């Protein structure tokens, strides 16, 4: 299960820890400016993925770095998105003749089944993985879950179909260890929610505005971190939130 660190949520994390910051002794490990941190995730073993690199704690306060590459042997249009507590990594290779999601473990890469999008282009985007090895992301034009089946992975698109193509249900962005996935919409006519159809509901901003909820991460207690988007004087603005038990907590 992912522990994402997107820039968008950086001030959410700071707000969550601010009340207890004085009671916690924090230390900082500099990972170096040479690392690309456009995508980043951390597991409970202290392993880190960022960009195309897997950083494994080496026991002496540092990290052993393993670089992964695309089908052409470089890191162009290639990124790692998540790592679970078995140190299994998921990512996306956009240089392999398709948008190809994959699972990497013990030095071996396994490509995930693709689904054709509206233009018949094969797509599999892997964004999150839980400790059971279930992967969530986008297949074709819809959120999807890939599940290990003994011989590889089976894919389950979560959207509806139009002319044989799944369409309109956005992107799977996170999955918890109970197999509960979180979808973020990419179309304004669809609300983000969970794989069983349970949505986050409307988000009421502090000034009374109603916002469109966008979830980015979910934990095993079904708490969701994300933001609400709303119109502010003709511009698109957002406010970060934590949703717990159907209630919004704003920061």
């Amino acid at each position: 299960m992912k522990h994402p660190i997107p820039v968008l949520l950086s001030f959410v994390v700071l707000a969550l820890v601010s009340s207890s910051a004085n009671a916690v002794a924090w230390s900082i490990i500099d990972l170096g400016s040479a690392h690309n941190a456009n995508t980043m995730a951390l597991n409970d073993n202290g392993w880190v993925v960022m960009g195309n690199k897997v950083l494994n704690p080496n026991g002496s306060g540092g990290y052993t770095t393993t670089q992964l590459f695309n089908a052409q042997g470089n890191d162009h249009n290639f990124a790692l998105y998540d790592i679970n507590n078995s140190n299994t990594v998921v990512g996306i290779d956009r240089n392999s003749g398709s948008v190809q999601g994959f699972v990497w473990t013990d030095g071996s890469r396994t490509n995930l089944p693709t689904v054709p999008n509206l233009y018949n282009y094969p797509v599999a985007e892997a964004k999150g993985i839980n400790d059971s090895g279930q992967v969530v992301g986008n297949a074709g034009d819809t959120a999807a879950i890939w599940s290990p089946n003994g011989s590889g992975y089976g894919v389950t698109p979560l959207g509806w179909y139009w002319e044989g193509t799944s369409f309109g249900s956005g992107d799977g962005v996170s999955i918890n260890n109970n197999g509960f996935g979180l979808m973020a919409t990419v179309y304004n006519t669809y609300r983000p929610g969970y794989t069983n159809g349970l949505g986050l509901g409307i988000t009421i901003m502090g000034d009374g505005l109603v916002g469109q909820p966008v979830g980015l991460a979910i934990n095993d207690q079904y708490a969701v971190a994300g933001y609400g988007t709303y119109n502010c004087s003709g511009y698109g603005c957002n406010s970060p939130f934590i949703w717990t038990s159907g209630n919004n907590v704003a920061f």
Side-chain angles (χ1 to χ4, degrees):
M1 183 183 67
K2 83 187 321 182
H3 300 273
I5 316 175
V7 173
L8 182 62
L9 283 181
S10 60
F11 51 113
V12 177
V13 176
L14 290 175
L16 285 172
V17 303
S18 60
S19 62
S20 59
N22 293 333
V24 177
W26 293 93
S27 60
I28 299 175
I29 299 175
D30 188 350
L31 299 177
S33 60
H35 292 302
N36 181 348
N38 289 335
T39 61
M40 193 171 186
L42 172 75
N43 70 8
D44 292 343
N45 305 319
W47 287 48
V48 178
V49 295
M50 53 167 54
N52 73 316
K53 298 170 184 175
V54 181
L55 279 64
N56 172 19
N58 59 21
S60 59
Y63 288 85
T64 299
T65 301
T66 301
Q67 293 193 71
L68 306 185
F69 298 102
N70 61 30
Q72 283 68 46
N74 58 61
D75 62 353
H76 298 163
N77 297 317
F78 179 93
L80 307 176
Y81 281 84
D82 199 12
I83 183 169
N84 69 10
N85 288 325
S86 297
N87 303 325
T88 300
V89 174
V90 294
I92 304 173
D93 181 355
R94 292 183 172 86
N95 273 302
S96 56
S98 64
V99 180
Q100 180 63 67
F102 63 88
V103 173
W104 181 88
T105 184
D106 295 329
S108 177
R109 168 175 157 169
T110 300
N111 288 339
L112 296 169
T114 61
V115 173
N117 64 12
L118 185 62
Y119 303 100
N120 205 35
Y121 188 78
V123 173
E125 293 185 314
K127 298 291 184 66
I129 184 170
N130 66 12
D131 288 343
S132 299
Q134 293 175 297
V135 178
V136 71
N138 176 281
D141 291 301
T142 182
I145 287 180
W146 290 264
S147 298
N149 57 19
S151 59
Y153 288 83
V155 58
T156 303
L158 303 174
W160 54 277
Y161 285 81
W162 180 66
E163 294 185 353
T165 302
S166 57
F167 180 74
S169 293
D171 196 9
V173 294
S174 181
I175 186 168
N176 69 14
N177 286 324
N178 304 316
F180 212 68
L182 183 67
M183 296 188 296
T185 185
V186 292
Y187 302 102
N188 290 332
T189 52
Y190 294 89
R191 287 196 178 280
Y194 305 110
T195 59
N196 67 355
L198 180 64
L200 295 174
I202 64 172
T203 298
I204 305 300
M205 305 297 165
D207 54 8
L209 293 172
V210 175
Q212 176 82 14
V214 178
L216 295 178
I218 182 172
N219 68 12
D220 293 343
Q221 287 71 48
Y222 303 97
V224 175
Y227 60 95
T229 63
Y230 61 99
N231 187 311
C232 54
S233 302
Y235 295 92
C237 297
N238 66 67
S239 179
F241 280 82
I242 301 293
W243 289 266
T244 59
S245 302
N247 297 318
N248 301 341
V249 180
F251 294 96

